[in-house]
Amino acid sequence: MSRFVQDLSKAMTQDGASQFQEVIRQELELSVKKELEKILTTAPSHEFEHTKKDLDGFRKLFHRFLQEKGPSVDWGKIQRPPEDSIQPYEKIKARGLPDNISSVLNKLVVVKLNGGLGTSMGCKGPKSLIGVRNENTFLDLTVQQIEHLNKTYNTDVPLVLMNSFNTDEDTKKILQKYSHCRVKIYTFNQSRYPRINKESLLPVAKDVSYSGENTEAWYPPGHGDIYASFYNSGLLDTLIGEGKEYIFVSNIDNLGATVDLYILNHLMNPPNGKRCEFVMEVTNKTRADVKGGTLTQYEGKLRLVEIAQVPKAHVDEFKSVSKFKIFNTNNLWISLAAVKRLQEQNAIDMEIIVNPKTLDGGLNVIQLETAVGAAIKSFENSLGINVPRSRFLPVKTTSDLLLVMSNLYSLNAGSLTMSEKREFPTVPLVKLGSSFTKVQDYLRRFESIPDMLELDHLTVSGDVTFGKNVSLKGTVIIIANHGDRIDIPPGAVLENKIVSGNLRILDH
């Protein structure tokens, strides 16, 4: 009789479901440990240490995953944050800027999360290399912004890119083109963790390679991995050694996440003399943001609560704009010294996000992830700042891309600002249908980007193309039914119109 069966029967006779589960859990951990050891033996010598760190990190995460079950927050303990724990941006801006803003800027490092691919927009390679405005990519705009800062204030603010194994090679090739820019650029890599089979909970990978049939066996474990991988890369210590004190972290596809001197000054010269270790920029929810993570008070500390952590019975309450008015923009300002201290104490606590995926061959797997903002509760003296919506301008879809390419925004030194010609400072609601999902299809369907200065709402569905110099105003809905095609003629002005049926313009 195997030891496993003996342990099992012993647990059963003790009539303890919890003991039974504990035995299963221990056996599973042992099996995973053996599998990871097997994978490690396939690592080439120059990758051995790095792979070992990754697999050790995964084992810790997997151990926690087995310990924690069900929603990770006790709804009864969730409270609205105290008034002073989320400051309005206007109050922070009203303090003005000191004369020595250059020396304050020299303490800053800009970190962009650059692990994502452009697959959801039908593009190969890193998302940061998609052209978003006048042929400029996300990465171009980021470099332009920081170079403008360094030139204007005669400073040395570096850019750090957190790449993943998916984006590292392509990103590094492109970085050569910035060698003459006045921005030091560093990169480090996110960890590479093994996906696990949904049924057996064992790693899918059989060796360390990530090509061929192993391509889908690995994943980057979410941006919460920044703390460990930044620390492990040695770059954290290098930057502290250069006198840097804070990082400004944001998603590279959030075009609103530019360096804000007022927030930086508030961090470096706090009015009460006590520095914050962690600042999260939040902004007011709209109906489009009801699923966004929100800041709450939980057991005496600020805590980010994501929809996945909420018990089912309370999801509607969580989505309520009246109860939870703000959401996390993922623009974060974090003390480097605090990251180092907490990392060395192994004290950064982030909830595990269980992300189910189906591989191309049909195999169901799960990947365990963490989110960078969830660590807020581990830092001392954390603060939320309620910033204008303009600091949250993410480009996740071609609908977002249409907005940022249009005349709603003007581009200056890499930063997008809403045009003064728009009477209402709100962003129109744009929904482009599935024919526009891929960037190359989307570009093919617009001969030029329409004038959208007076647009409130645009919905487009089906086989629709736009001629040059089209103008869209108010609410415009264009629906081509299956088999029909609609060509909006050049120079057309559509104001509060519904266009449907078949409208083809043919050359003769």
Side-chain angles (χ1 to χ4, degrees):
M1 188 189 277
S2 76
R3 186 169 67 81
F4 180 52
V5 176
Q6 284 173 342
D7 287 346
L8 212 54
S9 53
K10 190 172 156 195
M12 300 289 266
T13 52
Q14 284 169 336
D15 194 31
S18 61
Q19 281 136 318
F20 171 66
Q21 283 174 330
E22 181 60 20
V23 170
I24 293 280
R25 195 182 59 69
Q26 285 174 0
E27 285 292 334
L28 192 51
E29 283 214 51
L30 198 63
S31 302
V32 166
K33 181 172 180 253
K34 282 179 182 166
E35 288 293 317
L36 295 177
E37 282 167 357
K38 267 190 227 164
I39 292 170
L40 187 57
T41 60
T42 69
S45 55
H46 66 282
E47 279 181 27
F48 185 86
E49 277 310 310
H50 193 79
T51 307
K52 187 174 186 309
K53 273 184 183 166
D54 281 354
L55 295 181
D56 285 349
F58 173 76
R59 249 183 75 193
K60 279 185 198 160
L61 194 62
F62 186 73
H63 173 78
R64 280 183 44 218
F65 162 68
L66 292 181
Q67 302 283 14
E68 300 166 12
K69 282 283 173 261
S72 52
V73 290
D74 176 348
W75 193 255
K77 290 184 183 175
I78 286 184
Q79 297 169 309
R80 277 191 182 166
E83 284 298 308
D84 61 348
S85 67
I86 299 182
Q87 299 270 350
Y89 176 76
E90 291 67 35
K91 186 177 169 186
I92 282 165
K93 192 175 180 180
R95 292 182 61 208
L97 294 174
D99 296 336
N100 68 335
I101 194 66
S102 296
S103 62
V104 171
L105 258 173
N106 271 327
K107 305 285 187 195
L108 181 70
V109 175
V110 174
V111 180
K112 292 287 181 184
L113 304 171
N114 185 46
L117 292 166
T119 37
S120 63
M121 293 169 77
C123 294
K124 282 196 170 107
K127 187 174 181 185
S128 57
L129 307 184
I130 295 175
V132 278
R133 182 85 190 211
N134 311 348
E135 306 294 309
N136 288 303
T137 65
F138 291 104
L139 190 52
D140 291 337
L141 296 177
T142 302
V143 172
Q144 287 167 27
Q145 287 163 21
I146 302 172
E147 183 175 47
H148 178 67
L149 268 182
N150 285 336
K151 284 180 172 173
T152 306
Y153 297 98
N154 192 24
T155 50
D156 178 25
V157 177
L159 168 64
V160 173
L161 299 172
M162 178 167 89
N163 298 337
S164 68
F165 65 92
N166 288 320
T167 62
D168 190 51
E169 201 179 318
D170 290 339
T171 302
K172 280 182 174 160
K173 277 181 200 159
I174 228 84
L175 290 182
Q176 295 159 10
K177 78 172 187 179
Y178 306 118
S179 55
H180 301 299
C181 294
R182 191 172 160 176
V183 183
K184 271 191 205 151
I185 303 178
Y186 302 93
T187 66
F188 69 94
N189 258 8
Q190 256 177 292
S191 306
R192 182 164 72 100
Y193 283 3
R195 285 177 165 147
I196 51 181
N197 184 310
K198 194 180 175 186
E199 301 306 319
S200 69
L201 296 185
L202 294 176
V204 177
K206 294 291 171 255
D207 57 54
V208 293
S209 70
Y210 46 98
S211 54
E213 58 184 38
N214 245 7
T215 312
E216 294 188 297
W218 301 90
Y219 71 99
H223 42 54
D225 184 53
I226 186 172
Y227 304 105
S229 38
F230 196 16
Y231 179 84
N232 289 338
S233 71
L235 191 52
L236 179 73
D237 281 333
T238 303
L239 293 166
I240 289 173
E242 289 176 6
K244 304 299 182 190
E245 295 183 22
Y246 279 94
I247 47 175
F248 171 48
V249 181
S250 63
N251 298 354
I252 200 154
D253 64 6
N254 177 7
L255 294 177
T258 55
V259 170
D260 187 281
L261 299 177
Y262 299 100
I263 295 177
L264 179 61
N265 180 47
H266 187 84
L267 285 168
M268 297 294 294
N269 305 303
N272 62 0
K274 194 179 173 199
R275 281 194 179 182
C276 297
E277 290 188 346
F278 195 112
V279 163
M280 176 180 285
E281 293 185 36
V282 296
T283 194
N284 292 345
K285 273 185 184 179
T286 65
R287 294 219 177 275
D289 314 305
V290 291
K291 291 181 179 176
T294 194
L295 268 187
T296 62
Q297 172 94 341
Y298 193 87
E299 296 179 337
K301 295 202 100 170
L302 273 185
R303 176 159 174 168
L304 179 68
V305 175
E306 301 280 1
I307 195 161
Q309 296 163 247
V310 177
K312 278 200 170 58
H314 297 281
V315 166
D316 286 344
E317 197 180 336
F318 173 82
K319 288 181 177 177
S320 145
V321 179
S322 56
K323 181 160 184 181
F324 298 109
K325 293 185 168 66
I326 49 146
F327 73 97
N328 168 29
T329 63
N330 223 34
N331 300 348
L332 310 167
W333 304 74
I334 310 169
S335 154
L336 283 168
V339 173
K340 182 176 166 70
R341 182 191 78 236
L342 292 169
Q343 196 54 40
E344 287 175 350
Q345 294 169 352
N346 198 18
I348 295 181
D349 177 24
M350 293 171 284
E351 290 75 28
I352 294 172
I353 300 158
V354 179
N355 192 349
K357 298 265 178 188
T358 303
L359 304 187
D360 285 348
L363 181 69
N364 289 324
V365 295
I366 52 178
Q367 51 190 52
L368 306 177
E369 303 175 6
T370 55
V372 57
I376 189 169
K377 63 178 183 291
S378 303
F379 289 81
E380 293 302 315
N381 204 23
S382 298
L383 179 70
I385 297 180
N386 191 342
V387 296
R389 180 75 185 200
S390 57
R391 290 190 58 73
F392 184 67
L393 187 57
V395 180
K396 303 289 183 195
T397 62
T398 49
S399 301
D400 300 329
L401 196 54
L402 180 63
L403 290 166
V404 300
M405 288 176 103
S406 76
N407 61 346
L408 283 166
Y409 292 95
S410 53
L411 180 64
N412 182 20
S415 298
L416 288 182
T417 44
M418 189 167 278
S419 168
E420 289 172 4
K421 292 178 185 165
R422 182 163 172 86
E423 284 182 32
F424 307 101
T426 56
V427 180
L429 192 62
V430 172
K431 291 180 184 171
L432 299 178
S434 55
S435 308
F436 291 80
T437 303
K438 294 182 175 178
V439 172
Q440 79 194 80
D441 293 341
Y442 150 87
L443 291 171
R444 196 169 44 77
R445 290 178 178 279
F446 287 99
E447 273 194 59
S448 69
I449 303 297
D451 168 4
M452 292 164 48
L453 277 174
E454 294 175 47
L455 180 70
D456 297 323
H457 178 143
L458 172 68
T459 296
V460 183
S461 176
D463 185 0
V464 178
T465 63
F466 292 79
K468 277 194 172 140
N469 305 323
V470 170
S471 184
L472 305 171
K473 302 179 181 191
T475 296
V476 177
I477 298 168
I478 305 170
I479 297 173
N481 293 323
H482 186 66
D484 290 344
R485 177 169 144 189
I486 295 178
D487 296 327
I488 303 298
V493 177
L494 299 181
E495 183 167 6
N496 296 324
K497 290 277 186 286
I498 296 176
V499 183
S500 65
N502 201 350
L503 174 66
R504 297 196 68 168
I505 296 172
L506 303 170
D507 291 332
H508 72 99

